[in-house]
Amino acid sequence: MDKVQEKTAEPNAPLLEVRNVSKSYGGVKALIDCDFSCGAGEVHALLGENGAGKSTLVKILCGVVKPDSGTIRYMGEETTIDSPIDASRKGIVAVFQELSLVPELSVAENVFLGHEPKTRWGLIEFKKMKIWTDHLFQDLGLTISPESRVADLSLADQQLVEIAKALSREPQIIIFDEATSALGSQEVELLFTLIKRITKKGTTAIFISHRMDELDRIADRATVFRDARYVADFDWGTVGKDQIVHWIAGREVEETFPQKKPHSNETALEIRNLTSSGNFYDINLVIKKGEIFGIAGLQGHGQSQFLRSLFGACPITEGHVIVNNKSIILKGPKSAIQAGISLVPEDRKHEGLLLTRSVKENLALMTLDKRQKMGFIDGTSELNELHHAVESLKIKTSNLEQEAGSLSGGNQQKVVIGKAILAEGDILLLADPTRGIDVGTKSEIYQYMSNLAAQGITIIFYSTELPELVGVCHRVAVFKQGRVTATFSGEEITEHHIINAALGVA
Amino acid sequence: MNTEMVKKNPLHSKITVSVFHKYGVLKIYVTMVSIYIISGIIQPQYFAVDHVMQLLVIASFLGIAAIGQTLVVLSGGLDLSIAYTLNLGAVIMTQVSIEHGGVAAFAAVLAAGIFIGAFNGIGISYLNISPIIMTLAMSSILKSITYVYSNGNPKGASPDWLRFLGTGSILGIKTAVIIWIILSAAVVVLLVKTTFGRKLYSVGTNTSVSYLSGIQNKRLIIMVYILSSLFSVVAGMMLVGFYGLSHLGMGDSLLLPTIAAVVIGGTSILGGKGGYAGTAAGAIIIYLLMSILTVLDINDAGKQIIYGLVILFVLFLYGRGKAVRL
């Protein structure tokens, strides 16, 4: 953190200066009179809860949306950013949480998409492209093959390719919007080294993250937004955590977890020799009623597939799943739901939510067949049940007809959770449910999980964030190369133990 | 904030309004009425009840065939076999009724419809064939089957009851129009009030979300194509009733208009968004336009150009969809 002082040796004018910018979508004000500025070569953190206006500011800077009012000064001149192409010409690029890669193309083709090296006849020089990508990756310390198909890469690797793609344009400003949320700790390390390298060369990094520990290691300055307004900006390290959290939330938020309640000794779920070849092998677990069972490990060691298999969405090649002493056959999600198992999938936007449909339709989707008579939907009982879910999850929506995609990230996730809860199963599978979600909403989700467990619902909780596994789980199993290499319970559950097991250090 | 939400609870009153706003159905009806009024100003005869009825009868055949297309497009697919399914249905209707009577013919036509739809649906869902390829191949197959089955010259005529459905009227309203209205109402209810409708929108919006919500996408897709073929053969039978006989190319001119009606009606060609109320107006607009252009003595080339421009104009009216917050 001592590096902060030397680095913020500011040039006279900031590189980018945004003044009095406002933007509203329909009736919703996403930004009100916001100010923001950053200098060359700094790592600037944007802080705020979901829906505070960070993403909107980023979209304005990338030319995705246009501000309703306000001015932007860039490199000392007043300017407008008319489109993403315009932004990238000006040297502003962004890496979003949602990947913008073309799955069917190779890594190299993706990296150079839109600025491919061409012969004078206008044909793409694939050889040159591959070599350039090789060089770029070597520079960045990436070990991904430029020729592999993006669809075949893990989510974390895809995210790294996305970052490489942004860097291949040699930007002046690079924006990371929740770019670390899909990354495991190794990849995050890699990314940070990368960021340090490019900022040394004078590139500015704007960094959105909800993980404070990350920011501690990398941020030089920060700007806080709350409720669509600018709240404060400061040099990182000069302001205490409490103050930052206070600015973000506008109220005191305990970052504590709800107390772990004892669970019953009855077996709810027994997994015997479960194998899905290529994904995970020989998993044996006995999970109790009302238990919150954590799944940990480095990204891509079979955890997601394990959860999907329990939901019938990933083929099981061997082994048994026994629910309430009955062996069940998982032919697909439908049979899993019937057996009382529901899943909150990892990828909220592509697997969890129908973004263009209403909150109502989304919430009801998993349980349509329960509220029907001769195929007709019982509208009244549906509304009642959904209202109940909206209330208990505290989903902020103007009405149930609102488009799900127009909700903030945290509320979108609550809708996905609500959908699974409405299935009223005994077993709930949560795949990284707090990814990219603000502190306040996270606490709410933990509290909600704790309440469900107290009601006797068994939760299997896969997460990429260690503190929350430590904070809420009764037991944690660590996956390594598709196998459970360690299980911890009670006091043994510490970040240290989990990391050691995940890395395979004794 | 949750108590606030319950207090407001504006849901019930808002639904009808939001349906109109959301899909721009209102816009399309305004467009339809405007074209109608302009037509009436050019040729006052258009304001006569008889003329309106005649127009609706003609539009009903397209309207019925386009019900199936609407369902398929909402599911994220496209049915290019509608015209030849319709032709085969019409030919079976007249030929079977020669020896076995109208009722048997009716049953045979429906069976053919179910069979064709199931074939399409299974190919698309289980064999993963793209809807365009599958239904295009099916078109080609059906064309030949119809030709061989009828020896190139369909025989027989419409049974009397069908003739009545095609040309008769009840209380001054043409039966063809009544049937169209009944089928329209049924499909709107199907889309809005049933689990099938919800699942259809879900599959059309995002198949992964749908699958992970326990919806059996494949079965649903098969059902959708069966329904599409059924509406096609029903349109074919209605045309038999209207003309009194069948011929090989009865529905040839209807295929692209079914797609046009769906698109003009505000249903997203990408699936998951829209509904039938718009398609019905789309079908009427197409015939209204064709008919007024004929009155204006504009030649075929001119008609096609204007027709194309109108489709583009309507799409422009809808805007290019609002941005979804990411």
Side-chain angles (χ1 to χ4, degrees):
Chain A
M1 247 165 292
D2 39 357
K3 66 186 186 303
V4 174
Q5 263 62 29
E6 57 178 69
K7 224 177 202 176
T8 41
E10 277 191 19
N12 304 337
L15 175 67
L16 174 74
E17 198 174 9
V18 174
R19 288 273 164 262
N20 301 324
V21 161
S22 296
K23 171 75 194 171
S24 47
Y25 296 100
V28 186
K29 292 200 162 98
L31 268 186
I32 307 165
D33 274 345
C34 278
D35 292 346
F36 171 79
S37 69
C38 59
E42 71 180 30
V43 177
H44 196 114
L46 288 185
L47 300 170
E49 297 198 335
N50 288 328
K54 301 169 311 229
S55 294
T56 307
L57 178 67
V58 168
K59 281 184 199 157
I60 289 173
L61 295 180
C62 305
V64 178
V65 298
K66 282 188 187 170
D68 299 334
S69 62
T71 57
I72 299 171
R73 288 180 73 82
Y74 179 58
M75 293 177 152
E77 277 171 45
E78 192 162 324
T79 182
T80 58
I81 302 166
D82 300 320
S83 65
I85 295 171
D86 188 31
S88 102
R89 257 189 225 126
K90 290 187 162 86
I92 305 175
V93 298
V95 181
F96 287 106
Q97 188 178 4
E98 294 79 23
L99 299 165
S100 61
L101 302 176
V102 184
E104 295 303 321
L105 292 183
S106 75
V107 168
E109 283 164 328
N110 266 288
V111 168
F112 284 97
L113 195 66
H115 58 131
E116 298 89 350
K118 287 183 192 139
T119 65
R120 63 193 158 122
W121 305 107
L123 300 174
I124 298 174
E125 293 188 88
F126 283 100
K127 227 180 232 163
K128 198 180 260 179
M129 197 155 82
K130 190 189 156 282
I131 294 168
W132 284 2
T133 313
D134 257 336
H135 282 311
L136 179 71
F137 281 13
Q138 264 167 28
D139 246 17
L140 304 178
L142 299 184
T143 52
I144 303 163
S145 157
E147 279 163 291
S148 45
R149 214 168 58 117
V150 163
D152 297 334
L153 299 179
S154 70
L155 200 56
D157 280 349
Q158 291 186 19
Q159 187 68 276
L160 290 173
V161 171
E162 178 94 31
I163 291 166
K165 178 181 161 190
L167 288 174
S168 75
R169 294 175 174 268
E170 297 178 348
Q172 190 59 47
I173 297 181
I174 178 164
I175 304 170
F176 297 93
D177 190 352
E178 292 285 355
T180 58
S181 60
L183 300 181
S185 38
Q186 283 174 319
E187 290 92 2
V188 171
E189 284 309 315
L190 195 59
L191 176 64
F192 283 3
T193 323
L194 243 161
I195 290 178
K196 279 177 188 151
R197 203 177 299 166
I198 58 170
T199 47
K200 210 166 268 170
K201 289 182 192 160
T203 303
T204 300
I206 297 175
F207 202 80
I208 298 185
S209 170
H210 291 297
R211 299 184 187 174
M212 283 284 187
D213 51 333
E214 285 180 4
L215 296 176
D216 263 344
R217 301 184 32 212
I218 195 154
D220 298 322
R221 281 182 64 73
T223 304
V224 183
F225 292 94
R226 184 178 73 233
D227 297 335
R229 288 173 196 278
Y230 159 88
V231 179
D233 64 320
F234 57 93
D235 285 343
W236 196 269
T238 60
V239 172
K241 282 284 155 55
D242 297 347
Q243 179 62 54
I244 299 175
V245 171
H246 185 78
W247 274 332
I248 292 174
R251 59 190 139 85
E252 305 300 333
V253 179
E254 339 86 274
E255 261 198 270
T256 54
F257 297 97
Q259 208 184 352
K260 293 181 192 177
K261 295 173 191 134
H263 58 80
S264 126
N265 215 9
E266 227 176 289
T267 298
L269 173 69
E270 198 179 336
I271 294 159
R272 278 194 208 145
N273 310 321
L274 203 68
T275 298
S276 165
S277 52
N279 295 314
F280 57 84
Y281 303 91
D282 204 19
I283 310 284
N284 285 286
L285 297 169
V286 178
I287 301 172
K288 306 289 180 188
K289 195 174 172 201
E291 183 174 7
I292 300 180
F293 191 91
I295 304 282
L298 300 177
Q299 199 102 72
H301 281 248
Q303 303 95 317
S304 328
Q305 289 85 351
F306 174 62
L307 254 66
R308 291 177 81 96
S309 285
L310 292 181
F311 192 58
C314 176
I316 292 170
T317 36
E318 232 175 283
H320 298 279
V321 177
I322 299 153
V323 177
N324 294 329
N325 299 318
K326 264 194 346 213
S327 183
I328 57 168
I329 298 163
L330 294 162
K331 278 181 297 187
K334 191 180 168 112
S335 57
I337 294 167
Q338 277 164 348
I341 303 173
S342 41
L343 169 76
V344 172
E346 205 172 353
D347 187 340
R348 151 173 100 230
K349 310 227 180 243
H350 300 112
E351 299 181 328
L353 267 194
L354 301 172
L355 293 169
T356 54
R357 308 301 302 177
S358 67
V359 172
K360 175 174 94 177
E361 282 177 56
N362 273 288
L363 278 173
L365 203 57
M366 217 181 245
T367 42
L368 284 172
D369 291 330
K370 269 165 85 181
R371 283 180 302 267
Q372 50 102 21
K373 276 181 205 133
M374 316 269 296
F376 285 86
I377 296 164
D378 182 348
T380 340
S381 87
E382 177 173 75
L383 277 186
N384 287 339
E385 273 188 53
L386 301 192
H387 267 305
H388 187 72
V390 167
E391 269 175 63
S392 64
L393 277 159
K394 300 183 185 132
I395 299 171
K396 284 185 210 167
T397 168
S398 59
N399 65 61
L400 286 178
E401 296 296 327
Q402 190 175 345
E403 214 170 82
S406 70
L407 298 177
S408 69
N411 281 302
Q412 290 184 3
Q413 185 66 313
K414 285 180 178 179
V415 171
V416 181
I417 295 174
K419 175 171 85 169
I421 295 298
L422 282 164
E424 292 176 327
D426 303 321
I427 297 162
L428 179 65
L429 313 171
L430 298 172
D432 218 359
T434 62
R435 177 195 291 177
I437 282 177
D438 60 88
V439 187
T441 311
K442 274 184 186 174
S443 303
E444 281 176 27
I445 290 177
Y446 304 142
Q447 185 59 52
Y448 193 71
M449 285 168 63
S450 165
N451 294 348
L452 288 174
Q455 289 163 30
I457 289 173
T458 305
I459 297 174
I460 300 185
F461 177 41
Y462 158 50
S463 169
T464 49
E465 285 183 48
L466 293 178
E468 63 182 23
L469 286 171
V470 175
V472 300
C473 295
H474 294 107
R475 279 191 295 162
V476 174
V478 183
F479 274 61
K480 185 172 187 299
Q481 287 164 354
R483 290 173 194 276
V484 172
T485 52
T487 310
F488 301 107
S489 64
E491 296 296 311
E492 293 165 13
I493 309 176
T494 63
E495 295 191 27
H496 194 74
H497 282 159
I498 296 175
I499 291 173
N500 282 354
L503 293 174
V505 185
Chain B
M1 98 295 294
N2 34 353
T3 46
E4 200 181 303
M5 221 208 91
V6 179
K7 254 187 276 162
K8 269 198 246 157
N9 193 7
L11 304 178
H12 298 281
S13 55
K14 264 197 177 167
I15 286 172
T16 32
V17 185
S18 74
V19 165
F20 274 94
H21 278 302
K22 222 177 188 169
Y23 305 129
V25 168
L26 201 57
K27 285 182 201 163
I28 195 62
Y29 275 85
V30 169
T31 310
M32 181 182 85
V33 172
S34 314
I35 297 178
Y36 175 67
I37 291 172
I38 295 169
S39 310
I41 293 168
I42 297 170
Q43 176 65 271
Q45 194 195 337
Y46 272 76
F47 290 133
V49 177
D50 268 7
H51 198 90
V52 174
M53 199 54 82
Q54 210 48 51
L55 181 80
L56 289 178
V57 170
I58 298 293
S60 72
F61 308 117
L62 172 60
I64 292 168
I67 293 178
Q69 191 69 275
T70 306
L71 298 177
V72 169
V73 171
L74 282 175
S75 79
L78 201 62
D79 190 347
L80 299 181
S81 63
I82 281 182
Y84 292 109
T85 306
L86 187 156
N87 290 345
L88 181 61
V91 171
I92 292 176
M93 186 70 219
T94 57
Q95 296 212 147
V96 173
S97 61
I98 300 174
E99 278 185 32
H100 305 281
V103 178
F106 179 72
V109 171
L110 293 188
I114 292 171
F115 186 76
I116 295 166
F119 209 89
N120 274 335
I122 289 170
I124 290 161
S125 62
Y126 282 97
L127 305 179
N128 250 327
I129 301 170
S130 114
I132 292 180
I133 306 294
M134 184 69 217
T135 54
L136 199 61
M138 179 58 86
S139 277
S140 173
I141 293 167
L142 292 176
K143 188 177 181 181
S144 300
I145 289 178
T146 313
Y147 192 82
V148 170
Y149 173 58
S150 64
N151 263 326
N153 184 19
K155 290 175 247 336
S158 166
D160 289 344
W161 57 268
L162 187 58
R163 191 85 179 116
F164 171 73
L165 293 181
T167 56
S169 46
I170 297 171
L171 301 172
I173 302 174
K174 289 286 187 186
T175 35
V177 178
I178 295 175
I179 286 171
W180 185 24
I181 292 171
I182 292 171
L183 292 176
S184 302
V187 79
V188 169
V189 169
L190 182 75
L191 286 175
V192 179
K193 295 279 183 196
T194 68
T195 56
F196 176 83
R198 285 278 184 86
K199 290 174 183 173
L200 177 62
Y201 282 106
S202 171
V203 171
T205 306
N206 185 328
T207 48
S208 307
V209 174
S210 185
Y211 172 68
L212 290 176
S213 299
I215 291 167
Q216 291 169 307
N217 294 354
K218 293 183 174 170
R219 282 191 201 182
L220 192 105
I221 294 287
I222 294 172
M223 272 306 294
V224 167
Y225 282 91
I226 289 177
L227 283 172
S228 177
S229 297
L230 279 176
F231 282 112
S232 303
V233 294
V234 168
M237 289 192 286
M238 292 304 293
L239 278 171
V240 167
F242 185 71
Y243 289 116
L245 46 80
S246 67
H247 62 88
L248 286 178
M250 272 189 130
D252 289 6
S253 63
L254 284 182
L255 172 60
L256 293 178
T258 59
I259 300 170
V262 167
V263 172
I264 292 175
T267 293
S268 162
I269 200 76
L270 301 174
K273 224 171 182 183
Y276 184 69
T279 306
I284 294 173
I285 287 178
I286 289 171
Y287 281 108
L288 194 52
L289 207 64
M290 284 303 174
S291 113
I292 192 64
L293 293 176
T294 308
V295 169
L296 290 173
D297 210 15
I298 288 170
N299 63 20
D300 252 6
K303 272 189 204 169
Q304 294 303 329
I305 290 171
I306 294 173
Y307 178 50
L309 290 176
V310 166
I311 293 179
L312 293 176
F313 171 73
V314 171
L315 289 185
F316 173 74
L317 267 189
Y318 288 123
R320 288 180 301 161
K322 30 175 194 180
V324 172
R325 187 154 145 193
L326 290 173

